Amino acid sequence: MRALLCLLGPALALASAASALASPDTTTAQPLCLGLRGRERLARADTVTVAGTAPASVSSTTASTATASVSLPLPPTATLTAAPAPTPTPLDTSLSYALTDACLVFLADVVSNTTFLSCLPLSLLLTTSTSFATLVDAAVSSGNYTALDLLVAYTNEPAPGAAACDAHMQAWAAELADKANCKADLASAAGGAAREAQTGLGNYEVMRQAGALTDPDTGVFCYLEAEASDGPDDLYLWHLASGTALPSTSTPTCSACSRLLLNHLAYSAANTITLNATIINDAVSAIDGACGASFVSYATEPAASSGGARVRGTTAGLALSLLGAVWLAW
């Protein structure tokens, strides 16, 4: 049945694709698997007290939405040689029944690829992974961020190597836009799932490096601080790359992490065709208006980190060029 292809793992992905092609169904159908999505979690505004290993005190006082003092784990000192368990799967939410057969098969092929799974794209985990959302919710509710800390560390220094993963994702982004795969879906009003996959593949390097950003005062991953914040405001910044605009009522903190992340995204937008420069620049303008005109400064190239090394301390980012990706407008 082609009503929906749920990618819950490599074997299921391929089996589902084959089944979908064998029994086409052109009638309108309801999704068979609905899960938590990153953007839905942005509405969360609960208070969290966190206790983890190797704690570092984090205190936010620059906005009413992030006033809690929490304790978060520091990044691991050793590079992980494999993704920590349980390992979430990108694109395990759903793919629309409206995608063409060719596009469904292509995406199933990508998700079943062992290199893709080993590279573990944070860009797609944030927007298309029920299992990742479940892991994050478990960290928030339990107050134990150790597993999430290890996962974020792995995504910015994956086992295949940062450069190799960057190249693979660029190639898949280009192949996705090929006429034989998802080109028709990218141009179709019903091809939202294909466009979301292309954006995640194209933004792989940008978000891999964003995940490496750490608070220069605490050493904690900036993403963990955003998740542990009382309100969703800082977390909104982590969804700008996926094309989710900063709400006009949102007030992210004037923190070092906000500055580092926005500087990284703003500088990268000039070289990454899958980043929506308008959405990012609008967010920068809003934050500069609240935090000072020069809070985000990206007129010159930020300090860079080689390979997958973690970015710490001062303003950070890279000129990220996805030469192989082909972006078609929504």
Side-chain angles (χ1 to χ4, degrees):
M1 181 178 181
R2 284 199 58 218
L4 194 73
L5 173 62
C6 263
L7 300 182
L8 299 177
L12 180 56
L14 294 177
S16 298
S19 175
L21 295 179
S23 304
D25 181 1
T26 58
T27 61
T28 301
Q30 297 300 315
L32 298 178
C33 56
L34 292 175
L36 295 174
R37 300 175 68 83
R39 61 174 60 96
E40 290 173 349
R41 297 185 58 259
L42 297 179
R44 189 190 75 242
D46 50 0
T47 301
V48 181
T49 299
V50 183
T53 57
S57 178
V58 180
S59 179
S60 298
T61 59
T62 53
S64 60
T65 55
T67 56
S69 293
V70 299
S71 182
L72 293 170
L74 292 169
T77 55
T79 300
L80 301 177
T81 58
T87 306
T89 305
L91 287 167
D92 70 357
T93 50
S94 66
L95 294 179
S96 170
Y97 69 91
L99 294 179
T100 62
D101 294 344
C103 192
L104 285 171
V105 171
F106 173 79
L107 291 176
D109 252 1
V110 171
V111 173
S112 67
N113 186 285
T114 55
T115 299
F116 174 82
L117 295 172
S118 294
C119 289
L120 204 57
L122 181 62
S123 54
L124 285 169
L125 290 178
L126 286 170
T127 58
T128 70
S129 176
T130 299
S131 50
F132 179 73
T134 299
L135 188 151
V136 171
D137 285 341
V140 171
S141 61
S142 69
N144 187 345
Y145 282 74
T146 302
L148 186 59
D149 179 67
L150 293 174
L151 182 69
V152 172
Y154 178 83
T155 62
N156 64 67
E157 295 184 79
C165 287
D166 292 347
H168 280 298
M169 296 298 169
Q170 290 176 26
W172 278 316
E175 290 172 15
L176 184 146
D178 190 88
K179 183 178 180 180
N181 296 319
C182 299
K183 183 175 182 179
D185 301 86
L186 293 173
S188 168
R195 289 189 291 272
E196 189 173 49
Q198 187 188 44
T199 298
L201 291 169
N203 290 343
Y204 172 81
E205 186 176 0
V206 174
M207 295 309 295
R208 177 182 62 76
Q209 293 175 331
L213 294 174
T214 58
D215 187 319
D217 296 322
T218 66
V220 172
F221 281 129
C222 288
Y223 176 69
L224 258 65
E225 291 192 0
E227 284 291 357
S229 178
D230 282 354
D233 297 278
D234 285 355
L235 196 56
Y236 278 120
L237 302 181
W238 287 88
H239 288 261
L240 293 173
S242 68
T244 302
L246 183 70
S248 59
T249 56
S250 179
T251 55
T253 60
C254 298
S255 65
C257 278
S258 293
R259 183 178 66 252
L260 287 169
L261 178 59
L262 284 171
N263 188 71
H264 175 65
L265 293 177
Y267 185 82
S268 300
N271 304 282
T272 307
I273 53 181
T274 43
L275 285 177
N276 188 316
T278 299
I279 286 177
I280 292 171
N281 289 333
D282 285 349
V284 168
S285 296
I287 301 302
D288 277 354
C291 303
S294 60
F295 181 73
V296 179
S297 175
Y298 54 95
T300 57
E301 182 176 359
S305 163
S306 62
R310 291 174 195 139
V311 183
R312 300 177 181 271
T314 58
T315 302
L318 285 178
L320 307 172
S321 177
L322 303 179
L323 299 178
V326 178
W327 175 249
L328 296 180
W330 286 42

